[in-house]
Protein backbone atom coordinates (compact mmCIF):
# COMPACT_ATOMS: atom_id res chain seq x y z
CA UNK A 1 0.00 0.00 0.00
CA UNK A 2 1.38 3.37 -0.98
CA UNK A 3 0.49 7.03 -0.59
CA UNK A 4 -1.40 7.82 -3.78
CA UNK A 5 -2.46 11.46 -3.47
CA UNK A 6 -1.46 14.61 -1.57
CA UNK A 7 -3.25 17.92 -1.60
CA UNK A 8 -2.86 21.08 0.44
CA UNK A 9 -4.49 24.47 0.77
CA UNK A 10 -4.52 27.67 2.79
CA UNK A 11 -7.30 29.60 4.52
CA UNK A 12 -7.47 32.92 6.34
CA UNK A 13 -9.82 32.61 9.30
CA UNK A 14 -11.10 35.35 11.57
CA UNK A 15 -11.19 34.95 15.33
CA UNK A 16 -14.57 35.38 16.99
CA UNK A 17 -12.78 36.98 19.96
CA UNK A 18 -9.65 38.96 18.98
CA UNK A 19 -7.12 39.11 21.83
CA UNK A 20 -3.97 40.81 23.06
CA UNK A 21 -0.88 39.20 24.59
CA UNK A 22 2.48 40.79 25.42
CA UNK A 23 3.83 42.35 22.16
CA UNK A 24 0.97 41.45 19.81
CA UNK A 25 -2.75 41.58 19.03
CA UNK A 26 -4.42 38.92 16.91
CA UNK A 27 -7.75 39.05 15.06
CA UNK A 28 -7.28 36.51 12.25
CA UNK A 29 -5.00 33.57 11.46
CA UNK A 30 -3.56 31.84 8.40
CA UNK A 31 -4.18 28.10 8.56
CA UNK A 32 -2.75 25.50 6.19
CA UNK A 33 -4.16 22.04 5.53
CA UNK A 34 -2.61 18.85 4.18
CA UNK A 35 -4.59 15.79 3.08
CA UNK A 36 -3.03 12.46 2.11
CA UNK A 37 -4.72 9.37 0.69
CA UNK A 38 -3.29 5.89 0.19
CA UNK A 39 -4.27 3.59 -2.67
CA UNK A 40 -6.78 1.79 -0.44
CA UNK A 41 -8.66 5.04 0.17
CA UNK A 42 -7.46 5.73 3.72
CA UNK A 43 -6.94 9.43 4.40
CA UNK A 44 -4.68 11.44 6.69
CA UNK A 45 -5.27 15.07 7.67
CA UNK A 46 -2.84 17.63 9.00
CA UNK A 47 -2.85 21.35 9.64
CA UNK A 48 -0.31 24.12 10.29
CA UNK A 49 -0.57 27.43 12.12
CA UNK A 50 2.85 29.11 11.97
CA UNK A 51 3.84 31.68 14.59
CA UNK A 52 6.61 33.92 13.31
CA UNK A 53 7.02 35.62 16.71
CA UNK A 54 7.80 32.30 18.39
CA UNK A 55 9.63 30.18 15.81
CA UNK A 56 10.59 32.66 13.06
CA UNK A 57 8.44 30.77 10.53
CA UNK A 58 6.49 33.25 8.39
CA UNK A 59 3.19 32.38 6.74
CA UNK A 60 4.99 32.71 3.38
CA UNK A 61 7.69 30.21 4.39
CA UNK A 62 5.05 27.77 5.65
CA UNK A 63 3.06 28.23 2.42
CA UNK A 64 6.13 27.52 0.30
CA UNK A 65 6.92 24.35 2.27
CA UNK A 66 3.35 23.12 1.84
CA UNK A 67 2.84 23.98 -1.86
CA UNK A 68 1.23 20.94 -3.49
CA UNK A 69 4.34 20.59 -5.69
CA UNK A 70 6.62 20.52 -2.64
CA UNK A 71 4.71 17.56 -1.19
CA UNK A 72 4.72 15.27 -4.22
CA UNK A 73 7.73 13.32 -2.85
CA UNK A 74 5.22 11.69 -0.49
CA UNK A 75 3.39 10.05 -3.40
CA UNK A 76 4.60 6.48 -3.77
CA UNK A 77 5.94 6.24 -0.20
CA UNK A 78 4.84 3.02 1.54
CA UNK A 79 1.77 3.63 3.71
CA UNK A 80 3.32 1.69 6.58
CA UNK A 81 6.40 3.95 6.62
CA UNK A 82 4.33 6.99 7.55
CA UNK A 83 6.05 7.67 10.86
CA UNK A 84 9.55 7.22 9.40
CA UNK A 85 8.64 9.76 6.69
CA UNK A 86 7.59 12.21 9.40
CA UNK A 87 10.95 11.92 11.16
CA UNK A 88 12.83 12.59 7.89
CA UNK A 89 11.21 16.05 7.73
CA UNK A 90 13.34 17.24 10.64
CA UNK A 91 16.30 17.42 8.29
CA UNK A 92 14.55 18.82 5.23
CA UNK A 93 12.21 21.31 6.96
CA UNK A 94 14.17 22.46 10.00
CA UNK A 95 13.16 26.14 9.65
CA UNK A 96 9.43 25.53 9.13
CA UNK A 97 8.21 23.53 12.13
CA UNK A 98 4.52 24.26 11.58
CA UNK A 99 4.70 23.04 7.97
CA UNK A 100 6.54 19.97 9.25
CA UNK A 101 3.85 19.46 11.88
CA UNK A 102 1.11 19.53 9.23
CA UNK A 103 2.79 16.71 7.29
CA UNK A 104 3.75 14.81 10.46
CA UNK A 105 0.16 14.97 11.74
CA UNK A 106 -1.27 13.84 8.39
CA UNK A 107 1.17 10.90 8.34
CA UNK A 108 0.28 9.94 11.93
CA UNK A 109 -3.45 10.20 11.15
CA UNK A 110 -3.00 7.97 8.10
CA UNK A 111 -0.87 5.50 10.11
CA UNK A 112 -3.50 5.17 12.85
CA UNK A 113 -6.42 5.03 10.41
CA UNK A 114 -4.73 2.16 8.59
CA UNK A 115 -4.46 0.40 11.96
CA UNK A 116 -8.16 1.05 12.55
CA UNK A 117 -7.73 2.72 15.94
CA UNK A 118 -7.57 6.21 17.43
CA UNK A 119 -4.08 7.71 17.24
CA UNK A 120 -3.81 7.83 21.05
CA UNK A 121 -4.45 4.07 21.25
CA UNK A 122 -1.96 3.36 18.47
CA UNK A 123 0.64 5.36 20.45
CA UNK A 124 -0.38 3.78 23.78
CA UNK A 125 -2.96 5.58 25.89
CA UNK A 126 -2.14 6.57 29.48
CA UNK A 127 -4.69 9.39 30.10
CA UNK A 128 -8.39 9.56 29.43
CA UNK A 129 -9.93 13.00 30.03
CA UNK A 130 -8.10 15.99 31.52
CA UNK A 131 -9.42 19.54 31.91
CA UNK A 132 -8.17 22.22 29.55
CA UNK A 133 -7.60 25.81 30.45
CA UNK A 134 -9.17 28.57 28.42
CA UNK A 135 -7.33 31.83 27.89
CA UNK A 136 -8.14 35.41 28.80
CA UNK A 137 -6.02 37.96 26.92
CA UNK A 138 -4.56 41.17 28.29
CA UNK A 139 -7.52 43.44 28.98
CA UNK A 140 -9.06 45.64 31.67
CA UNK A 141 -10.19 44.39 35.05
CA UNK A 142 -13.94 44.54 34.34
CA UNK A 143 -13.57 42.73 31.01
CA UNK A 144 -11.33 40.11 32.61
CA UNK A 145 -13.90 39.38 35.31
CA UNK A 146 -16.75 39.23 32.80
CA UNK A 147 -14.87 36.82 30.53
CA UNK A 148 -13.87 34.65 33.49
CA UNK A 149 -17.51 34.46 34.64
CA UNK A 150 -18.56 33.38 31.15
CA UNK A 151 -15.94 30.59 31.01
CA UNK A 152 -16.74 29.34 34.52
CA UNK A 153 -20.40 29.28 33.51
CA UNK A 154 -19.46 27.10 30.51
CA UNK A 155 -17.82 24.57 32.83
CA UNK A 156 -14.15 25.56 32.58
CA UNK A 157 -12.23 25.22 35.86
CA UNK A 158 -8.79 26.28 34.59
CA UNK A 159 -8.28 29.87 33.50
CA UNK A 160 -5.08 31.07 31.87
CA UNK A 161 -4.55 34.81 32.01
CA UNK A 162 -2.16 36.64 29.71
CA UNK A 163 -0.04 39.28 31.40
CA UNK A 164 2.98 41.41 30.52
CA UNK A 165 3.86 44.55 28.65
CA UNK A 166 3.03 47.76 30.46
CA UNK A 167 -0.07 46.71 32.42
CA UNK A 168 -0.41 46.45 36.22
CA UNK A 169 -1.09 42.73 36.34
CA UNK A 170 -1.07 42.40 40.13
CA UNK A 171 -4.32 44.30 40.81
CA UNK A 172 -6.13 42.53 37.98
CA UNK A 173 -5.04 39.06 39.11
CA UNK A 174 -5.92 39.69 42.76
CA UNK A 175 -9.43 40.85 41.79
CA UNK A 176 -9.82 37.79 39.58
CA UNK A 177 -8.72 35.43 42.37
CA UNK A 178 -11.37 36.95 44.68
CA UNK A 179 -14.07 36.81 42.03
CA UNK A 180 -13.84 33.20 40.82
CA UNK A 181 -14.81 30.12 42.89
CA UNK A 182 -12.01 28.62 45.02
CA UNK A 183 -11.86 25.45 42.91
CA UNK A 184 -10.97 27.41 39.76
CA UNK A 185 -7.24 27.11 39.05
CA UNK A 186 -5.41 30.14 37.69
CA UNK A 187 -2.39 30.07 35.40
CA UNK A 188 -0.61 33.10 34.01
CA UNK A 189 1.36 33.48 30.80
CA UNK A 190 3.67 36.48 30.36
CA UNK A 191 4.86 35.50 26.86
CA UNK A 192 8.36 36.65 27.88
CA UNK A 193 6.94 40.11 28.67
CA UNK A 194 8.31 40.59 32.23
CA UNK A 195 11.65 41.69 33.62
CA UNK A 196 13.21 40.02 36.63
CA UNK A 197 11.78 42.45 39.24
CA UNK A 198 8.28 41.80 37.82
CA UNK A 199 8.89 38.04 37.87
CA UNK A 200 9.95 38.29 41.51
CA UNK A 201 6.82 40.34 42.25
CA UNK A 202 4.67 37.69 40.59
CA UNK A 203 6.45 35.02 42.62
CA UNK A 204 5.65 36.90 45.86
CA UNK A 205 1.97 37.14 44.85
CA UNK A 206 1.92 33.42 44.14
CA UNK A 207 0.65 32.45 47.60
CA UNK A 208 -2.27 34.87 47.53
CA UNK A 209 -3.16 34.08 43.94
CA UNK A 210 -2.59 30.32 44.38
CA UNK A 211 -1.16 30.20 40.86
CA UNK A 212 -0.97 26.73 39.38
CA UNK A 213 1.60 27.70 36.74
CA UNK A 214 3.64 30.73 35.68
CA UNK A 215 4.43 30.57 31.98
CA UNK A 216 7.53 32.10 30.36
CA UNK A 217 8.13 35.23 32.45
CA UNK A 218 11.38 36.31 30.72
CA UNK A 219 12.99 36.34 27.29
CA UNK A 220 14.51 32.93 26.45
CA UNK A 221 17.99 34.50 26.34
CA UNK A 222 17.52 35.42 30.03
CA UNK A 223 16.55 31.95 31.26
CA UNK A 224 19.50 31.86 33.66
CA UNK A 225 18.04 34.83 35.57
CA UNK A 226 15.24 32.52 36.65
CA UNK A 227 17.65 31.07 39.20
CA UNK A 228 16.96 34.24 41.28
CA UNK A 229 13.39 33.00 41.91
CA UNK A 230 12.71 30.96 45.04
CA UNK A 231 12.71 27.19 44.50
CA UNK A 232 8.96 26.98 45.26
CA UNK A 233 8.25 29.46 42.45
CA UNK A 234 10.65 27.78 40.01
CA UNK A 235 8.72 24.53 40.43
CA UNK A 236 5.65 26.34 39.08
CA UNK A 237 7.48 27.73 36.09
CA UNK A 238 6.50 26.42 32.69
CA UNK A 239 8.83 27.37 29.85
CA UNK A 240 7.22 27.84 26.44
CA UNK A 241 9.07 30.19 24.05
CA UNK A 242 12.35 28.80 25.49
CA UNK A 243 11.46 25.24 24.45
CA UNK A 244 11.11 25.04 20.69
CA UNK A 245 12.35 21.51 20.11
CA UNK A 246 13.89 18.39 21.57
CA UNK A 247 17.36 19.90 21.97
CA UNK A 248 16.02 22.85 24.00
CA UNK A 249 14.12 20.42 26.20
CA UNK A 250 17.21 18.32 26.88
CA UNK A 251 19.32 21.41 27.68
CA UNK A 252 16.71 23.03 29.97
CA UNK A 253 15.83 19.79 31.74
CA UNK A 254 19.49 19.40 32.65
CA UNK A 255 19.67 23.06 33.78
CA UNK A 256 16.91 22.51 36.36
CA UNK A 257 15.33 25.96 35.86
CA UNK A 258 11.66 25.04 35.73
CA UNK A 259 9.00 22.50 36.66
CA UNK A 260 7.35 22.11 33.29
CA UNK A 261 7.63 22.52 29.55
CA UNK A 262 4.91 23.77 27.24
CA UNK A 263 4.82 21.52 24.19
CA UNK A 264 3.20 22.79 21.00
CA UNK A 265 3.18 20.82 17.78
CA UNK A 266 3.70 24.07 15.82
CA UNK A 267 6.97 24.77 17.65
CA UNK A 268 8.52 21.31 17.65
CA UNK A 269 7.29 19.95 14.30
CA UNK A 270 4.66 17.37 15.13
CA UNK A 271 3.69 14.34 17.14
CA UNK A 272 7.05 12.55 16.85
CA UNK A 273 9.22 15.38 18.29
CA UNK A 274 6.52 16.19 20.87
CA UNK A 275 6.66 12.64 22.21
CA UNK A 276 10.45 13.01 22.36
CA UNK A 277 10.16 16.16 24.53
CA UNK A 278 7.63 14.39 26.76
CA UNK A 279 10.05 11.50 27.28
CA UNK A 280 12.82 13.94 28.27
CA UNK A 281 10.48 15.65 30.73
CA UNK A 282 9.51 12.34 32.30
CA UNK A 283 13.14 11.30 32.70
CA UNK A 284 13.83 14.55 34.63
CA UNK A 285 10.66 14.55 36.73
CA UNK A 286 9.16 17.51 34.86
CA UNK A 287 5.55 17.92 33.78
CA UNK A 288 4.24 18.77 30.34
CA UNK A 289 1.56 21.27 29.51
CA UNK A 290 0.26 20.78 26.00
CA UNK A 291 -0.38 24.15 24.38
CA UNK A 292 -1.30 25.46 20.96
CA UNK A 293 -1.52 28.45 18.67
CA UNK A 294 -4.85 29.46 17.10
CA UNK A 295 -5.33 26.20 15.22
CA UNK A 296 -7.80 24.00 13.43
CA UNK A 297 -9.42 21.15 15.35
CA UNK A 298 -7.24 18.86 13.21
CA UNK A 299 -3.97 19.82 14.90
CA UNK A 300 -5.60 20.42 18.30
CA UNK A 301 -6.84 16.83 18.11
CA UNK A 302 -3.34 15.65 17.22
CA UNK A 303 -1.91 17.42 20.29
CA UNK A 304 -4.62 15.87 22.45
CA UNK A 305 -3.94 12.35 21.15
CA UNK A 306 -0.21 12.84 21.82
CA UNK A 307 -0.92 14.32 25.27
CA UNK A 308 -2.97 11.31 26.33
CA UNK A 309 -0.19 8.96 25.21
CA UNK A 310 2.53 10.74 27.24
CA UNK A 311 3.11 9.91 30.90
CA UNK A 312 4.57 13.37 31.68
CA UNK A 313 1.30 15.08 30.69
CA UNK A 314 -0.12 17.08 33.59
CA UNK A 315 -1.94 20.01 32.06
CA UNK A 316 -3.79 20.84 28.87
CA UNK A 317 -4.07 24.27 27.31
CA UNK A 318 -5.74 23.23 24.08
CA UNK A 319 -8.35 25.93 23.54
CA UNK A 320 -6.94 27.11 20.19
CA UNK A 321 -9.80 26.05 17.94
CA UNK A 322 -12.62 27.27 20.17
CA UNK A 323 -12.45 30.89 18.97
CA UNK A 324 -12.12 30.31 15.22
CA UNK A 325 -15.03 31.97 13.43
CA UNK A 326 -15.09 28.81 11.26
CA UNK A 327 -13.05 25.64 10.88
CA UNK A 328 -12.93 23.61 7.64
CA UNK A 329 -12.44 20.54 9.85
CA UNK A 330 -15.01 18.91 12.07
CA UNK A 331 -14.71 16.45 14.95
CA UNK A 332 -11.34 15.55 16.43
CA UNK A 333 -12.35 15.87 20.06
CA UNK A 334 -15.21 16.90 22.33
CA UNK A 335 -15.27 19.43 25.18
CA UNK A 336 -17.23 18.00 28.07
CA UNK A 337 -17.54 20.27 31.14
CA UNK A 338 -14.11 21.79 30.43
CA UNK A 339 -12.52 18.35 29.87
CA UNK A 340 -11.29 17.17 26.49
CA UNK A 341 -11.97 13.71 25.13
CA UNK A 342 -10.78 12.04 21.96
CA UNK A 343 -13.35 10.36 19.73
CA UNK A 344 -13.68 6.58 19.32
CA UNK A 345 -12.84 6.84 15.61
CA UNK A 346 -9.71 5.74 13.72
CA UNK A 347 -6.84 8.24 13.52
CA UNK A 348 -7.61 11.75 14.77
CA UNK A 349 -11.36 11.37 14.33
CA UNK A 350 -11.41 14.61 12.30
CA UNK A 351 -12.74 15.22 8.79
CA UNK A 352 -13.00 18.09 6.34
CA UNK A 353 -16.56 19.36 6.30
CA UNK A 354 -18.81 19.15 3.26
CA UNK A 355 -18.03 21.93 0.82
CA UNK A 356 -14.72 22.78 2.53
CA UNK A 357 -11.29 21.98 1.08
CA UNK A 358 -9.06 23.29 -1.69
CA UNK A 359 -10.65 25.71 -4.15
MG1 LIG B 1 2.67 30.44 26.35
Amino acid sequence: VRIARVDSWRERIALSRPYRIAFQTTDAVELFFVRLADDEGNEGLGSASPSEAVTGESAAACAAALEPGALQWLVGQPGDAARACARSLEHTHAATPAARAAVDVALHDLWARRRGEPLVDALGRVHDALPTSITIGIKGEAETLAEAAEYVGRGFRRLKVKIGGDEDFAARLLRLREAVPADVELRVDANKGLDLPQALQLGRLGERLRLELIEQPLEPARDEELRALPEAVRRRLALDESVLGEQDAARLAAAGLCGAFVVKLMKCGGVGPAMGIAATARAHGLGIMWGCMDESAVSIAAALHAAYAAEATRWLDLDGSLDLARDPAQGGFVVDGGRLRTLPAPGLGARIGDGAGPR
Side-chain angles (χ1 to χ4, degrees):
V1 177
R2 293 185 179 274
I3 294 175
R5 189 165 47 78
V6 183
D7 62 1
S8 59
W9 69 100
R10 170 182 190 163
E11 307 214 14
R12 182 171 178 82
I13 294 178
L15 299 183
S16 52
R17 198 194 291 264
Y19 64 90
R20 180 159 81 97
I21 66 171
F23 309 119
Q24 83 187 64
T25 297
T26 304
D27 59 10
V29 287
E30 298 285 332
L31 299 185
F32 299 83
F33 294 85
V34 171
R35 181 166 53 190
L36 311 172
D38 68 18
D39 49 22
E40 289 183 346
N42 299 293
E43 279 195 354
L45 283 179
S47 179
S49 178
S51 174
E52 190 166 11
V54 178
T55 64
E57 177 181 7
S58 65
C62 185
L66 294 178
E67 282 276 323
L71 298 177
Q72 292 311 304
W73 65 275
L74 287 160
V75 173
Q77 297 287 338
D80 292 330
R83 295 177 77 206
C85 278
R87 274 296 189 180
S88 75
L89 297 165
E90 290 165 30
H91 307 289
T92 53
H93 292 73
T96 51
R100 195 162 86 231
V103 178
D104 169 289
V105 166
L107 288 164
H108 276 87
D109 188 23
L110 178 66
W111 171 70
R113 285 206 225 186
R114 287 183 46 75
R115 293 168 60 105
E117 55 186 346
L119 177 59
V120 59
D121 295 312
L123 294 169
R125 182 190 287 271
V126 288
H127 303 283
D128 187 42
L130 295 171
T132 184
S133 52
I134 189 158
T135 301
I136 300 173
I138 295 175
K139 50 184 61 180
E141 205 171 283
E143 293 163 283
T144 297
L145 298 187
E147 197 170 321
E150 180 201 322
Y151 291 148
V152 170
R154 281 163 58 185
F156 291 97
R157 284 291 178 276
R158 305 286 188 284
L159 301 179
K160 168 163 148 174
V161 185
K162 296 288 192 178
I163 63 169
D166 50 12
E167 67 144 359
D168 173 15
F169 57 81
R172 186 165 66 108
L173 292 174
L174 287 165
R175 281 296 310 280
L176 178 63
R177 179 70 277 175
E178 286 167 17
V180 295
D183 69 336
V184 171
E185 299 277 7
L186 297 182
R187 308 168 181 172
V188 296
D189 185 359
N191 292 104
K192 60 189 182 175
L194 303 188
D195 56 21
L196 185 60
Q198 289 176 306
L200 289 164
Q201 179 196 10
L202 186 60
R204 285 192 297 274
L205 286 171
E207 289 288 291
R208 288 169 70 194
L209 294 172
R210 283 181 282 116
L211 293 179
E212 186 187 26
L213 287 173
I214 297 171
E215 217 178 304
Q216 193 74 39
L218 309 181
E219 286 281 349
R222 296 171 58 189
D223 282 336
E224 282 296 324
E225 293 181 32
L226 296 172
R227 291 198 192 281
L229 295 169
E231 168 70 26
V233 176
R234 287 220 309 269
R235 273 202 302 272
R236 288 164 198 268
L237 280 181
L239 293 181
D240 179 356
E241 284 87 343
S242 293
V243 187
L244 298 184
E246 289 176 272
Q247 291 178 357
D248 295 323
R251 177 175 51 80
L252 291 164
L257 293 168
C258 64
F261 294 146
V262 181
V263 173
K264 296 176 181 169
L265 301 187
M266 300 303 143
K267 291 189 302 182
C268 70
V271 172
M275 296 304 286
I277 295 172
T280 297
R282 179 164 187 257
H284 286 82
L286 304 178
I288 294 287
M289 174 152 83
W290 293 79
C292 57
M293 311 297 179
D294 297 299
E295 298 179 27
S296 165
V298 170
S299 49
I300 297 292
L304 185 66
H305 281 255
Y308 286 170
E311 288 173 81
T313 298
R314 286 197 214 136
W315 308 275
L316 301 182
D317 180 28
L318 294 175
D319 60 347
S321 64
L322 304 180
D323 281 342
L324 298 183
R326 63 187 177 85
D327 189 340
Q330 299 172 346
F333 63 93
V334 290
V335 190
D336 171 10
R339 290 175 178 266
L340 300 185
R341 291 180 195 281
T342 58
L343 301 176
L348 299 172
R351 56 181 285 274
I352 297 300
D354 298 331
R359 279 180 287 272

